[in-house]
């Protein structure tokens, strides 16, 4: 038989090793939502550019700081959000993962993977809204970048770090030039980024398939903000 004193001693020892963990989260409530915009009451300490977390793994970006509410643009499906839903602060400015962990991956505008290959193990992050380095701080354009298309390379000198606009009507081959240029960078030590804004996901999937078949995804990152988003 266990004596009452022994039970009391066991409980006392367990209580001595107990440490209370308090998790404080500043939360608010959605008072209005529509057209991808949500207004939240109760987040007095929210800061401009901060990420807010909504139900259903939907994030929002703080844009308006008003006297009695906060306005945020929803970075996801606004049909999942309704009036009265709780909203919590993440206490971090909108940022995306950077580094070689993103090479070969397909991500959305927040840097979250959408290729079904698991999470991105990034060691560093960088704020979305940041000042670009001044002209004096930038390295001069001194190395050529070959597109692999002889007519373009012969007539138009393009350098690494140079901006070059590809303009033309729909279906004239602008994407083909960009994809061919990415494929031609194999073994050149160039990291490539294909950013698809407003395109159908099926179209982006076809481009990714071409890059995978040619081995170009080994040094390419695809960023997708599709028409459905």
């Amino acid at each position: 038989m266990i004596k009452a004193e022994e039970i009391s001693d066991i409980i006392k020892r367990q209580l001595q090793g107990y440490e209370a963990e308090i998790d404080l989260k500043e939360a608010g409530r959605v008072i209005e939502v529509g057209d991808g915009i949500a207004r939240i009451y109760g987040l007095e300490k929210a800061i401009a550019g901060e990420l807010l977390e909504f139900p259903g793994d939907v994030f929002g970006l703080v844009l308006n700081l008003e006297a009695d509410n906060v306005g945020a643009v929803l970075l996801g499906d606004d049909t999942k959000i309704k009036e009265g839903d709780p909203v919590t602060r993440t206490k971090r400015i909108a940022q995306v993962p950077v580094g070689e962990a993103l090479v070969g991956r397909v991500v959305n505008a927040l840097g979250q993977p959408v290729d079904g290959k698991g999470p991105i193990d990034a060691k560093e992050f960088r704020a979305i809204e940041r000042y670009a380095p001044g002209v004096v701080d930038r390295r001069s354009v001194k190395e050529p970048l070959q597109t692999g298309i002889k007519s373009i390379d012969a007539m138009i000198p393009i350098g690494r770090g140079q901006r070059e606009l590809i303009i033309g009507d729909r279906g004239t081959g602008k994407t083909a030039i960009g994809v061919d240029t990415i494929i031609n960078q194999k073994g050149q030590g160039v990291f490539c980024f294909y950013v698809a804004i407003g395109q159908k996901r099926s179209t982006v999937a076809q481009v990714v398939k071409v890059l995978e078949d040619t081995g170009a995804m080994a040094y390419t990152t695809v960023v997708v903000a599709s028409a459905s988003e």
Side-chain angles (χ1 to χ4, degrees):
M1 294 289 292
I2 301 176
K3 295 181 180 180
E5 293 82 2
E6 294 178 357
I7 296 175
S8 177
D9 289 340
I10 293 172
I11 294 174
K12 285 179 181 178
R13 285 198 299 270
Q14 289 178 339
L15 288 173
Q16 285 175 355
Y18 174 76
E19 292 183 4
E21 293 184 3
I22 301 174
D23 185 15
L24 292 175
K25 286 187 177 180
E26 189 176 341
R29 293 280 176 183
V30 175
I31 57 176
E32 184 184 353
V33 61
D35 295 329
I37 302 293
R39 293 192 177 277
I40 304 106
Y41 176 80
L43 296 180
E44 290 85 0
K45 295 183 180 180
I47 55 179
E50 181 181 355
L51 280 178
L52 303 178
E53 190 169 357
F54 292 80
D57 289 331
V58 176
F59 287 89
L61 180 65
V62 176
L63 291 184
N64 279 21
L65 296 173
E66 301 185 18
D68 57 349
N69 67 80
V70 172
V73 60
L74 295 172
L75 307 173
D77 187 3
D78 60 356
T79 59
K80 297 179 180 178
I81 312 300
K82 62 183 183 298
E83 183 180 341
D85 280 348
V87 186
T88 56
R89 291 181 61 197
T90 62
K91 297 183 180 180
R92 56 188 174 92
I93 299 296
Q95 55 187 2
V96 292
V98 296
E100 295 193 17
L102 275 84
V103 178
R105 302 300 300 270
V106 182
V107 299
N108 62 15
L110 285 175
Q112 298 168 332
V114 293
D115 53 7
K117 296 181 180 179
I120 294 174
D121 186 23
K123 301 294 188 294
E124 298 178 2
F125 291 81
R126 183 168 291 180
I128 293 174
E129 297 287 348
R130 62 187 299 271
Y131 289 109
V135 176
V136 176
D137 298 323
R138 300 181 193 180
R139 183 184 297 176
S140 60
V141 178
K142 58 183 181 180
E143 297 178 63
L145 187 140
Q146 304 290 335
T147 66
I149 303 171
K150 289 185 178 180
S151 57
I152 294 177
D153 293 335
M155 292 188 294
I156 306 167
I158 302 174
R160 293 188 187 181
Q162 175 186 329
R163 296 174 183 175
E164 190 69 40
L165 177 65
I166 306 173
I167 190 169
D169 291 330
R170 194 182 292 262
T172 53
K174 301 185 297 298
T175 298
I177 291 176
V179 172
D180 286 348
T181 302
I182 291 175
I183 294 172
N184 194 55
Q185 304 314 306
K186 192 170 187 177
Q188 303 296 319
V190 177
F191 290 108
C192 299
F193 295 85
Y194 182 86
V195 182
I197 302 174
Q199 295 186 24
K200 293 185 294 184
R201 289 196 174 195
S202 58
T203 304
V204 179
Q206 290 173 358
V207 173
V208 173
K209 181 70 165 57
V210 170
L211 295 175
E212 286 178 343
D213 291 345
T214 56
M217 281 302 290
Y219 51 87
T220 302
T221 302
V222 178
V223 184
V224 182
S226 64
S228 60
E229 295 178 80

